[in-house]
Amino acid sequence: DAAVASLKSLNKNDVVEVRALQRPPQGVKLVIEAVCIMKEIKPKKVAGEKVGTKVDDYWDVGKNMLQEPAKFLQSLFDYDTDNSPDAVIQKIQPYIDNEEFTPDAIQKVCHSA
């Protein structure tokens, strides 16, 4: 499984590098969003492009998740993919279906993601 192989290739320094990004590439944002969804971490609502609209933003809450790199990586290895709630599976499906959400595509924009 390509996702597991990619996960095994990460180390603490990779997590530190991602956490330090001020304006992450879209692929990195996709990964952080997906991890937050899988872990049921709620996004922050921020102003959208249109006046008066709010959009979900996972970057700030995602960076908090990266504060302890070793603990974060271990939580990914320990994640029980076989028992994800249906609501999580429904929310994560658009990411799975996204052609830009493959290990190869993500590594092109950032090795650490």
Side-chain angles (χ1 to χ4, degrees):
D1 184 45
V4 174
S6 292
L7 179 58
K8 287 180 179 178
S9 75
L10 294 176
N11 62 49
K12 289 189 260 185
N13 290 336
D14 295 327
V15 176
V16 170
E17 180 184 325
V18 168
R19 189 180 68 208
L21 295 172
Q22 294 299 314
R23 295 183 183 194
Q26 185 59 29
V28 172
K29 283 184 169 185
L30 283 174
V31 171
I32 294 299
E33 287 175 19
V35 172
C36 286
I37 290 168
M38 299 290 287
K39 292 172 160 279
E40 299 184 88
I41 296 171
K42 298 210 180 308
K44 184 174 157 183
K45 294 286 188 185
V46 298
E49 289 185 21
K50 291 184 179 178
V51 177
T53 61
K54 296 275 185 181
V55 295
D56 291 344
D57 179 38
Y58 288 95
W59 183 242
D60 285 339
V61 294
K63 283 199 323 189
N64 288 339
M65 175 176 64
L66 306 176
Q67 291 298 327
E68 297 180 51
K71 186 176 172 183
F72 170 71
L73 288 172
Q74 191 58 50
S75 77
L76 297 179
F77 283 112
D78 293 343
Y79 186 81
D80 186 0
T81 57
D82 295 327
N83 292 306
S84 295
D86 287 341
V88 169
I89 293 169
Q90 288 176 355
K91 283 181 84 172
I92 203 69
Q93 193 62 49
Y95 293 83
I96 294 168
D97 296 339
N98 185 339
E99 292 177 4
E100 294 176 17
F101 193 69
T102 64
D104 288 342
I106 302 300
Q107 285 188 334
K108 285 180 184 172
V109 297
C110 183
H111 164 71
S112 306

